[in-house]
Amino acid sequence: METTSRVGAQAPAAEGGQQVPSARRTVDGYLLAPFPWYGLDEAFTGPRWLMQVGASADGAIEHGSIGHGDEPSVRGETTEDKERFAVVVTVAASPVRRSADGTGLLEATSVSSAAWLAGVGLLSFTWPGQMDHTLRDDWLDQQTETAWVLADDLDGADWSTLSLPVDGVPTPFHYRESEFGWVLAGSTQEGVHLGAYGRGMSAYGLGFAVIKDIATYA
């Protein structure tokens, strides 16, 4: 699954490449989506915050992320055991289809799409200890490819099955752990796929629910 642009909720970079606080992110891109957004259910009472949405080549919103808990920084040796967060990724379930201008085809989405986006999301907040800054791009490229290979083999030995509630209904998810955190992916009855990733918060006690009014996050 390839995303060509990110819309609305991408925080601009501040000096030094750090993103500005989420309060300055906007909900605009989320409001354009024709599908429901998911987050953790009401059992989670901590902070919630917008992250970013992704659009296809023809501008249609395809996926987006909602954060819960501590806003993560790139994991370093001083932060790895302190931050507790979980991010929920909602992906529109779409078949292979023609682009709006009729010039090409847009890829289908699947549970693997959600698994890959979640895997890459976790990597974006990960920096292995003792790694030189100049090597991180190479490391990210390698790990991103690994995340894709893993997402393409959800029935493989690297994944286990975890049942979690989605809108109150027990739902099977593919689940895996790594030294960097955990990743899971599954589908809902509302026509979307869900991915999630986190660190410091156990995935085993989570539940997911439709966000009734995403505009309240603005």
Side-chain angles (χ1 to χ4, degrees):
M1 175 180 173
E2 183 175 350
T3 297
T4 57
S5 63
R6 294 186 172 97
V7 182
Q10 174 64 57
E15 185 177 355
Q18 297 298 312
Q19 291 192 331
V20 299
S22 63
R24 290 175 56 185
R25 299 171 193 164
T26 72
V27 75
D28 296 354
Y30 293 88
L31 295 173
L32 295 175
F35 54 86
W37 295 105
Y38 272 79
L40 296 185
D41 63 19
E42 61 185 11
F44 176 80
T45 58
R48 300 170 183 249
W49 28 277
L50 298 175
M51 296 184 71
Q52 62 191 23
V53 299
S56 63
D58 62 358
I61 302 301
E62 287 195 327
H63 61 84
S65 301
I66 303 292
H68 306 76
D70 301 325
E71 290 200 52
S73 55
V74 176
R75 168 179 163 171
E77 294 179 357
T78 60
T79 62
E80 59 184 313
D81 294 323
K82 295 180 180 179
E83 293 175 341
R84 300 177 66 255
F85 68 90
V87 174
V88 179
V89 183
T90 306
V91 183
S94 303
V96 175
R97 61 212 185 278
R98 288 203 169 274
S99 60
D101 60 10
T103 59
L105 294 176
L106 300 176
E107 295 180 19
T109 61
S110 66
V111 177
S112 290
S113 306
W116 181 73
L117 287 167
V120 172
L122 181 61
L123 290 173
S124 69
F125 296 113
T126 301
W127 195 307
Q130 307 300 323
M131 177 173 284
D132 187 278
H133 289 210
T134 60
L135 298 177
R136 186 168 186 264
D137 286 345
D138 291 339
W139 179 86
L140 274 177
D141 288 343
Q142 180 186 49
Q143 293 299 315
T144 297
E145 177 64 24
T146 299
W148 174 250
V149 171
L150 288 169
D152 202 37
D153 185 24
L154 293 176
D155 293 323
D158 292 290
W159 297 88
S160 60
T161 301
L162 181 63
S163 179
L164 297 172
V166 177
D167 295 322
V169 178
T171 302
F173 284 87
H174 300 277
Y175 174 77
R176 67 178 176 88
E177 294 180 356
S178 73
E179 61 183 300
F180 310 121
W182 53 262
V183 172
L184 59 79
S187 296
T188 79
Q189 298 179 346
E190 296 294 325
V192 299
H193 305 297
L194 290 185
Y197 61 92
R199 197 159 54 226
M201 292 173 59
S202 172
Y204 286 84
L206 301 182
F208 305 96
V210 168
I211 296 173
K212 295 179 180 179
D213 185 4
I214 193 67
T216 62
Y217 284 64

